Amino acid sequence: MRQAKVLVGSLLVTLVVLMGGFFASQWWFVTKPIHQTLDQQSGLHQAKINVMPTEVRLHLHIDPTYDFIQRYPRLLDNLEQIAGHRKLTVVLDNPHHPELEQAWSDLQFALREAVATKRYTLIPDAVKQVAQEHRLTYKVRIDERFIYVELQQANRAWRQVVPLQTDQAALPS
């Protein structure tokens, strides 16, 4: 009976040490560096960070003054390096504004079509057309992996990152 208690006690201590080490390493090598990286970016605020063994999920709130098109691609690269082997999922918290939401909804088909047919040169014109229809200002950037879209109206901005590979992920809505 005494041996069973010692065995159970040792098992519990081992589990506590292993789990504590796992969570401490996640905080030290992933969560803390993400916080530090985001703190260096004026105009960005992390709403929530969830670090899991295979994925890092990050919710970001971006101020309207943040230069999304120029600064965000580099930030995304830095966050992917910090995430390491984990899949990085960044959710951009966009404002609830009917005009911006409708403009994004109108733009999604053109973006899906351009990505599916690999006709990326059509993207800037599609964004321009939708922005003009809704009386918005816009910026668009395309790199080897993503399309970055920013639609603005007064002090509100809708930002979205769309993967160029159709097998990477579905288009964010």
Side-chain angles (χ1 to χ4, degrees), residues 75-86 88 145-146:
L75 172 68
L76 191 57
D77 288 341
N78 291 342
L79 293 173
E80 285 176 336
Q81 285 180 350
I82 293 168
H85 67 280
R86 295 171 180 89
L88 176 68
R145 298 183 313 149
F146 297 106

Side-chain angles (χ1 to χ4, degrees), residues 13-115:
V13 168
T14 302
L15 282 174
V16 167
V17 169
L18 286 175
M19 293 304 289
F22 172 74
F23 287 116
S25 70
Q26 278 189 328
W27 181 84
W28 190 259
F29 294 111
V30 181
T31 305
K32 184 178 178 186
I34 288 174
H35 281 288
Q36 290 171 335
T37 300
L38 294 177
D39 287 346
Q40 295 171 358
Q41 298 277 320
S42 60
L44 277 181
H45 313 283
Q46 70 258 14
K48 187 166 88 173
I49 298 175
N50 189 5
V51 179
M52 298 166 277
T54 59
E55 181 182 11
V56 175
R57 182 172 285 274
L58 174 64
H59 288 258
L60 287 180
H61 173 75
I62 303 175
D63 292 341
T65 57
Y66 181 76
D67 190 357
F68 178 75
I69 296 296
Q70 291 300 316
R71 296 174 65 193
Y72 187 78
R74 194 168 329 126
L75 172 68
L76 191 57
D77 288 341
N78 291 342
L79 293 173
E80 285 176 336
Q81 285 180 350
I82 293 168
H85 67 280
R86 295 171 180 89
K87 176 186 173 200
L88 176 68
T89 303
V90 180
V91 177
L92 303 176
D93 292 337
N94 285 304
H96 293 288
H97 187 268
E99 190 70 25
L100 292 172
E101 289 176 20
Q102 185 60 51
W104 175 248
S105 178
D106 293 349
L107 183 57
Q108 285 188 61
F109 178 77
L111 292 179
R112 287 177 203 251
E113 181 180 42
V115 168

